[in-house]
Each structure stands twice: as structure tokens, then as C-alpha cells.
Amino acid sequence: MIPKDLERQISLAEAKGAVPFLVSATSGTTVLGAFDPLNAIADVCQRHGLWLHVDAAWGGSVLLSQTHRHLLDGIQRADSVAWNPHKLLGAGLQCSALLLQDTSNLLKRCHESQARYLFQQDKFYDVALDTGDKVVQCGRRVDCLKLWLLWKAQGRQGLEQRINRAFALSQYLVEEIKKREGFELVMEPEFVNVCFWFVPPSLRGKQESLDYSQRLSQVAPVLKERMVKAGSMMIGYQPHGAWGNFFRVIVVNPMLTHTDIDFLLDELERLGQDL
């Protein structure tokens, strides 16, 4: 998100009589792993009196890393934050949290049904502790227990090391891609999303061909089919905007090693050598 463009769009909407009320920024986009400039966006929201929500489902756990938490500078200014510890941290599925600055019991005021047969108000303890009448689905699994167990098992330093290791392995993959013929980065990654094309021998040096992009986009689906049928590995691919299909490797498994990264690239070369 570009803050200047955001402010321009808000002004255009207001000029047409619309009433903007919320801005949703992202910390760790699904495909490219991009982080929005939260402080600058928060400034815009403050000037216009808008609620700032941050979708940090993917990237929120980076806050646990002293080395990389700068990517989320300004998140403390958000009115609400979505966070999924089951993603980067590897907590058991599912483990999701919605964090609010509001202390007026907003979720209860929005969602409560006041069903007396479920939520008695004359209990011996503080009924504000009951979560059932604060959410749409009423009953749900105890997500926070999964995070608590993970935190107890790994500790603060253990979780930080897990995140730092994911960044380090991602960077190793990037450097190896740059060394190998036939591999091309979509962009320098900001996070642990490493996006790249495998350019097979038949397309190398033919970037000026009119059908180059179309043919390159057909490579990833073929290689995905081959790796799945071979049972050797499984990585995702997708198009994005004007870019044709490219591979997206998310390096988060704490058991991965440099040997696994090398195998991934070697296997793509093996599977695509005849294309």
C-alpha cells in the first residue's frame, strides 16, 4: 500500500459523498510476503479518523524476532490486528487471534446474543471471562491453548530462533538461485516467501521472443505435476498480476537444512531438463 495514494483515494471518496471508515493494511502478503509501511498508513488514518486494521496473519509472528521485527514498525498504532500463530510459528491448526486496542468489550457488544440458556449472568465468577458470547460462532476450539503449549515448549528464545532460522534459510535459497543457470527471482524477498521462475533449457536466452512469457508460464504446472507424481517434493506456484506462473517457496519448516534447499533446486533441474 502506498500511503500517498491511500490518502488520495480517501479524499476522492469523501468528495463523492462516501464515508470511509476503515483501512486494512497487511503485514506479510500471501504471495510475495510484502509488508505495508504501517507508521505512514497510521498517520493517514489518524488525519482522517479511520479505523486501522492490520492483517498480520502471516507476518505477525516476526514481532518475536529482535532482528526482523522492524518490518512491523507501527503495528502498535493499529486499532485491530489479526494474527495466525499456526502459520510462521507452526502452532497446531487452527490458532488464530484478533487483537484490539478497544477496552469497551467491543466484540461482546457486536456479537452477543444474550441467550440465557447458555450465558448465565449470575455466576460466581467474573462473566467477562466467558468468550462464547463475544464471537459469531459461539462455540469454538481453545486456540490459545495451542499457542500456550508451543510457547511453554519452545520458550521466548526458541520461537525467536525459529523465526531467525527461517529468514536465514530463505536467504540461502535466494543466494543459491542467483548462482544457478535457469533460475530467475521474481523479486528480492522481504520475508520468507521466495518467488522464482525455473527457465528450462529451451527458453534460455529467448526473453525477447513474443511468446516467451506465455511459454514460461506453462513450465511451473508441468514441473508441479512431475514432482507430485514422482513423490519427491511439493511446492506451490501461481501467477500474480502481469507475471505468469512462478514458484513460491515458503521456508518455515524448522527441520529444513541447506541440504533440503539444495535438493529442491537440484530436483527442479532434473525434472525440467527436457523442457
Side-chain angles (χ1 to χ4, degrees):
M1 186 182 297
I2 301 172
K4 287 185 178 179
D5 188 52
L6 168 64
E7 189 144 37
R8 184 175 65 85
Q9 293 296 333
I10 292 170
S11 298
L12 288 173
E14 291 173 339
K16 294 178 180 179
V19 183
F21 67 93
L22 177 144
V23 172
S24 183
T26 305
S27 291
T29 57
T30 301
V31 177
L32 299 178
F35 286 76
D36 283 331
L38 299 181
N39 268 318
I41 293 171
D43 289 341
V44 174
C45 291
Q46 187 172 349
R47 282 194 292 272
H48 292 269
L50 303 178
W51 182 284
L52 173 58
H53 174 74
V54 177
D55 177 357
W58 176 212
S61 298
V62 176
L63 278 174
L64 295 174
S65 167
Q66 294 299 319
T67 303
H68 301 287
R69 65 180 304 162
H70 63 89
L71 292 169
L72 292 116
D73 283 351
I75 197 169
Q76 73 279 2
R77 300 174 64 187
D79 296 289
S80 57
V81 174
W83 175 41
N84 291 159
H86 66 247
K87 293 183 177 176
L88 183 57
L89 290 185
L93 278 170
Q94 78 179 26
C95 186
S96 304
L98 175 63
L99 309 174
L100 299 170
Q101 293 273 15
D102 182 89
T103 58
S104 66
N105 221 350
L106 179 62
L107 292 180
K108 183 175 177 63
R109 290 191 287 118
C110 290
H111 301 305
E112 68 178 344
S113 61
Q114 295 184 330
R116 291 186 176 182
Y117 63 93
L118 287 176
F119 310 115
Q120 297 80 18
Q121 300 302 299
D122 54 356
K123 294 174 181 174
F124 68 91
Y125 58 83
D126 182 2
V127 294
L129 298 173
D130 292 338
T131 59
D133 212 17
K134 299 177 182 178
V135 294
V136 175
Q137 62 266 59
C138 180
R140 61 179 298 172
R141 295 177 179 177
V142 189
D143 283 9
C144 60
L145 178 62
K146 302 166 191 174
L147 177 59
W148 183 84
L149 288 171
L150 175 66
W151 214 310
K152 291 292 286 186
Q154 296 292 325
R156 172 71 175 79
Q157 291 183 347
L159 293 178
E160 180 175 12
Q161 289 169 4
R162 177 174 291 192
I163 295 167
N164 289 342
R165 178 172 172 75
F167 272 89
L169 278 175
S170 300
Q171 190 57 40
Y172 176 78
L173 174 57
V174 169
E175 296 306 318
E176 290 302 306
I177 284 173
K178 292 177 178 179
K179 294 176 184 177
R180 298 195 183 212
E181 182 182 11
F183 289 87
E184 180 183 344
L185 283 172
V186 173
M187 63 186 300
E188 286 286 340
E190 188 174 19
F191 194 19
V192 296
N193 304 40
V194 182
C195 301
F196 62 92
W197 288 283
F198 174 72
V199 183
S202 65
L203 288 178
R204 292 172 193 172
K206 297 183 179 179
Q207 288 85 345
E208 301 303 321
S209 300
L210 294 177
D211 62 347
Y212 176 81
S213 295
Q214 179 184 357
R215 292 174 62 189
L216 181 60
S217 185
Q218 296 169 352
V219 172
V222 173
L223 292 182
K224 177 66 176 280
E225 178 182 356
R226 290 183 178 184
M227 70 178 71
V228 171
K229 289 182 175 179
S232 57
M233 61 183 186
M234 186 183 295
I235 57 176
Y237 71 86
Q238 68 286 296
H240 188 73
W243 291 323
N245 289 321
F246 54 85
F247 286 111
R248 171 171 52 103
V249 174
I250 307 296
V251 186
V252 292
N253 186 338
M255 303 302 293
L256 288 175
T257 66
H258 286 182
T259 300
D260 297 312
I261 300 298
D262 294 339
F263 171 80
L264 182 152
L265 298 177
D266 290 341
E267 183 68 353
L268 285 176
E269 290 178 332
R270 184 186 72 83
L271 294 172
Q273 62 184 346
D274 62 335
L275 295 179

